Amino acid sequence: MKMSTKPETIKTLTTHYIDGEFVESHGREVVDIIRPTNGQVIARAMLGDEEDTRRAIAAAQRAFATYGRTTKDERAKILCRLHEVASDRLDDLTAAMVEEYGGVVQFAGLIVQSGVNSFSAAEKALHEMEWTRKWGNTTVTLEPVGVAGLITAWNANALFICLKLASAVAAGCTVVVKPSELSSLQTRVLLEALHEAKLPKGLLNVVTGRGNVVGAELVRNPGVDKISFTGSVAVGQSIMRDCAATMKRVTLELGGKSPTILLDDAALDQAIPAALVMAFLNSGQACAAGTRLLVPKSELDSVKTAIQDAMKSFSVGDPADPKIAVGPMVSQNQYDRVQSYIRKGIEEGAEVLVGGEGHPEGLEAGYFVKPTVFVNVKNDMAIAQEEIFGPVLSVIAYDSEDDAIRIANDSKYGLHAAVIGADLKRARRVASQLRAGRVVINRMMDDAQAPWGGFKYSGIGREYGRYGIEAFLETRAILE
Ligand code: NAD
């Protein structure tokens, strides 16, 4: 997606998507959309208000009266159409993610692809699920929960919207999406694509706006039956609290501080690059980023050397360049947040092995930070306990396998974890003791049918495949 930077040609997105059409916003607040590589305004977005949200909820309620009664074959056909139309715009979706969010092109392509794939994955899961169970005179069926409010974060816009929409559509729910206000351009490209699927009117509605306006109305409105949220712990907690008033079901996909356990039989030439890929995933702005690297004390010196070598290929720069591994942070706020944690790490007594404060040389204009690796980190330091959401890795030494497992689990989060080692049986044994929703062995991996979600403060519920669909279902038993 090409955007001119000349002030006179800056366009303003003024519409939401309600009842199958792009409709003018009732809310009139306008915000700038800023390109993170240079801080320039590239477009503007008009934000929706409570009235826009209520219109969207009403459309979703009307649509649910019929869509909620569709068969699984009808829903499978819709998922198939969604997959087709989104696949046609893969390149545009990726370009928008690079432009507006600053995602590095290779990873942005993967994110967008997995968003698009979530429609086919939901279709597969829908066919495999047992929708009716019978015994004696009892019949139990799975029923859609109703109208769902889908509230998403900015770091993987197409993935979150597609994933939540796919699960909801498979379950027979209708939806109102509130994307992050930092993702308006990306949402627009996605919506143009999804519009081509000619969905039943009101099945998909999207209102761009502020969390405390549009998001809060979705949470409060009795016409919404379920909230599926991806974002921070603080907002997730307030949503869960407020959903109680109308007894809404909630799925919360929240933060992480994921450990990567390096076992002492790991080959460092492969293990360290794999660990760094997990640490700097999506420029470190990833809930699953492996930001704590747990290293056997005896290996610490060789690990430090291996990190210094491997970091040479983690170059920072223009996210559109396929050779670049780390792009800018999404916003000035996010830049400031990462800087404050790097300062805090230094104040707490950790040692900067690579990176440090400030912009990388030559990249002063945008929100670029230096990918930073701290050593001599203790697990009770803020940089080891708090989610930074930037390319900052904390290396923590451990004494024994049990000590590594203890440190890995000594976190309020439990979203993702990794174990790297040559002996697969041993790696599995360690993995089975980690309190995290997903554990990968030896490298970052994905499986569109495997559940995604967190233990502890990382959230409530699961997404992906049948687990994601189940989150939009109720059971009904009929006894004769
Ligand atoms: P955020 O919590 O600030 O915002 C998330 C969404 O919630 C946005 O759309 C925002 O407008 C909305 N919101 C804000 N206040 C609201 C309110 N009072 N009521 C309803 N909605 C409201 O998070 P963010 O900064 O956009 O994203 C970063 C966070 O997301 C990180 O903590 C990260 O770990 C988390 N995240 C989690 C996952 C996961 O799958 N577990 C994936 C990506 C990001």
Side-chain angles (χ1 to χ4, degrees):
M1 189 149 99
K2 294 255 180 315
M3 285 283 163
S4 167
T5 53
K6 288 187 206 147
E8 67 272 19
T9 60
I10 285 176
K11 76 169 176 190
T12 303
L13 303 172
T14 60
T15 55
H16 307 295
Y17 191 73
I18 300 177
D19 220 6
E21 292 173 43
F22 289 93
V23 297
E24 287 299 315
S25 182
H26 179 268
R28 303 315 286 169
E29 182 187 354
V30 174
V31 288
D32 289 339
I33 299 170
I34 290 170
R35 183 192 284 123
T37 50
N38 58 13
Q40 283 178 358
V41 177
I42 47 173
R44 297 198 169 88
M46 198 169 270
L47 301 182
D49 61 10
E50 288 86 350
E51 176 61 28
D52 294 301
T53 317
R54 285 194 284 266
R55 279 188 203 163
I57 295 169
Q61 284 182 297
R62 284 192 299 276
F64 183 68
T66 43
Y67 189 69
R69 300 171 68 87
T70 46
T71 63
K72 85 174 181 188
D73 287 336
E74 288 167 323
R75 302 202 291 269
K77 277 191 193 128
I78 289 183
L79 287 166
C80 187
R81 284 214 303 274
L82 285 165
H83 183 257
E84 265 169 35
V85 296
S87 300
D88 284 348
R89 298 290 298 274
L90 272 175
D91 290 346
D92 294 335
L93 290 166
T94 305
M97 185 168 171
V98 173
E99 169 95 9
E100 180 180 34
Y101 161 70
V104 293
V105 65
Q106 286 197 3
F107 192 73
L110 291 176
I111 294 239
V112 165
Q113 182 74 61
S114 61
V116 171
N117 287 349
S118 59
F119 294 119
S120 47
E123 187 193 345
K124 181 169 185 278
L126 174 123
H127 285 302
E128 288 170 358
M129 284 169 67
E130 196 182 10
W131 290 81
T132 304
R133 286 189 65 204
K134 279 183 183 221
W135 62 90
N137 296 327
T138 299
T139 306
V140 178
T141 53
L142 300 179
E143 302 295 331
V145 66
V147 172
L150 313 180
I151 303 175
T152 60
W154 42 261
N155 59 325
N157 183 67
L159 171 59
F160 300 145
I161 296 181
C162 293
L163 185 60
K164 290 181 193 298
L165 175 64
S167 300
V169 163
C173 292
T174 59
V175 309
V176 180
V177 182
K178 199 227 65 84
S180 166
E181 48 277 44
L182 294 175
S183 309
S184 304
L185 287 179
Q186 297 162 81
T187 303
R188 177 70 196 205
V189 179
L190 181 61
L191 273 178
E192 284 171 1
L194 300 184
H195 180 65
E196 294 303 314
K198 303 196 172 31
L199 299 175
K201 282 188 190 318
L203 167 52
L204 166 65
N205 306 277
V206 181
V207 180
T208 296
R210 293 199 183 276
N212 60 0
V213 179
V214 176
E217 179 61 30
L218 284 175
V219 169
R220 185 168 54 223
N221 196 300
V224 177
D225 303 284
K226 153 107 198 176
I227 295 287
S228 177
F229 169 80
T230 297
S232 61
V233 170
V235 174
Q237 286 174 317
S238 79
I239 287 180
M240 191 169 170
R241 210 166 33 236
D242 295 345
C243 277
T246 46
M247 209 50 93
K248 286 184 182 50
R249 282 74 182 121
V250 282
T251 296
L252 303 175
E253 294 293 344
L254 310 178
K257 191 75 195 176
S258 303
T260 299
I261 299 182
L262 188 81
L263 295 172
D264 58 14
D265 60 352
L268 294 188
D269 57 338
Q270 286 170 19
I272 294 301
L276 295 178
V277 164
M278 291 190 268
F280 300 135
L281 216 57
N282 209 8
S283 307
Q285 298 174 122
C287 49
T291 49
R292 290 185 295 149
L293 178 60
L294 278 42
V295 174
K297 236 174 222 157
S298 55
E299 299 280 317
L300 201 52
D301 287 338
S302 357
V303 166
K304 283 190 202 171
T305 312
I307 289 177
Q308 281 166 321
D309 281 351
M311 283 299 287
K312 290 176 193 140
S313 23
F314 282 82
S315 43
V316 194
D318 178 4
D321 178 346
K323 293 191 294 295
I324 292 295
V326 178
M329 301 295 92
V330 71
S331 62
Q332 182 69 47
N333 272 349
Q334 198 62 22
Y335 173 87
D336 293 340
R337 177 184 170 90
V338 175
Q339 294 302 318
S340 77
Y341 272 107
I342 296 176
R343 262 194 307 281
K344 201 177 266 183
I346 296 167
E347 284 161 16
E348 282 180 313
E351 181 195 326
V352 174
L353 181 71
V354 185
E357 282 184 81
H359 289 94
E361 216 183 302
L363 293 169
E364 289 78 9
Y367 308 133
F368 294 96
V369 303
K370 295 179 192 163
T372 297
V373 181
F374 278 110
V375 291
N376 289 346
V377 179
K378 302 277 169 290
N379 200 49
D380 60 358
M381 290 179 179
I383 54 166
Q385 286 294 326
E386 294 171 24
E387 184 184 49
I388 300 173
F389 226 54
V392 182
L393 172 65
S394 292
V395 177
I396 302 165
Y398 68 80
D399 290 318
S400 62
E401 195 177 293
D402 284 347
D403 193 34
I405 294 165
R406 181 191 63 74
I407 296 171
N409 289 334
D410 178 17
S411 168
K412 71 176 190 176
Y413 294 110
L415 183 63
H416 204 271
V419 182
I420 304 184
D423 177 353
L424 202 54
K425 260 171 98 178
R426 181 181 175 208
R428 285 188 192 131
R429 186 180 67 223
V430 172
S432 70
Q433 295 173 77
L434 298 181
R435 301 200 32 91
R438 259 200 200 187
V439 187
V440 294
I441 293 183
N442 284 338
R443 64 188 171 88
M444 194 61 191
M445 273 177 282
D446 197 12
D447 176 346
Q449 301 295 339
W452 177 275
F455 283 39
K456 303 188 267 183
Y457 279 71
S458 290
I460 298 211
R462 296 292 182 267
E463 298 198 278
Y464 279 61
R466 68 176 302 153
Y467 305 91
I469 300 173
E470 282 166 1
F472 289 91
L473 292 169
E474 298 276 14
T475 51
R476 181 174 55 217
I478 296 185
L479 287 68
E480 309 176 349

